Amino acid sequence: MKREWVLGFILAGFVAVGYAEAVDLESPGGSVVIGFELNAGRPQWEVAFNGREIIKESPLGLELEQPYGAFEITGLKTATTDETWKPAWGKFSEIRNCCSELTVSLRETTAPNRRLDIVFRAFDDAAAVRYHFPESGKISIKEDNTHFMFAGDF
């Protein structure tokens, strides 16, 4: 990862100087780090495991009927989860859900100024990403343009 920041320090800095173009999310045990940044208004991510790059800078996004324009960051929200739940069936009697979460709120810089939230979860053995549309209404997704550009032959 190019960035060696502590998430709490970064978030404190956002309050004083506005939102940066890049932020990292670290799993509870520190083994997984997810990096997010806007590159010319386009979201991208990267993932490292135990300091080794696994997913190099890769584009994120969805293709809608009306394509998105460039984005700007309008908010960041962090959360942590540490819970255990019992599945109805399966190999395990209990499953632990322990992760750090970062929601990056984006808005198009040009009309129609649509909003998109990208939610990242960093587990000690995995990384996850999902999209959330904070505005109500009908959304027609033509294609998922989330890329996983692996840094090696895994």
Side-chain angles (χ1 to χ4, degrees), residues 116-144:
L116 174 67
D117 290 345
I118 303 177
V119 182
F120 298 96
R121 284 191 175 177
F123 301 83
D124 285 330
D125 60 355
V129 60
R130 70 180 170 93
Y131 300 100
H132 175 257
F133 301 94
E135 299 163 340
S136 60
K138 184 178 177 180
I139 295 172
S140 179
I141 299 172
K142 291 173 63 176
E143 190 169 340
D144 181 349

Side-chain angles (χ1 to χ4, degrees), residues 3 21-23 34-38 43-44 60 73 104 118 120:
R3 299 170 298 273
E21 296 292 307
V23 64
I34 302 171
F36 170 83
E37 70 180 327
L38 288 179
Q44 60 185 35
L60 288 169
I73 297 174
V104 180
I118 303 177
F120 298 96

Side-chain angles (χ1 to χ4, degrees), residues 11 14 34 37 54 73 84 96 109-110 122 131 133 135 138 148:
L11 293 177
F14 288 142
I34 302 171
E37 70 180 327
I54 302 297
I73 297 174
T84 303
R96 184 173 180 210
T109 57
T110 58
Y131 300 100
F133 301 94
E135 299 163 340
K138 184 178 177 180
F148 301 84

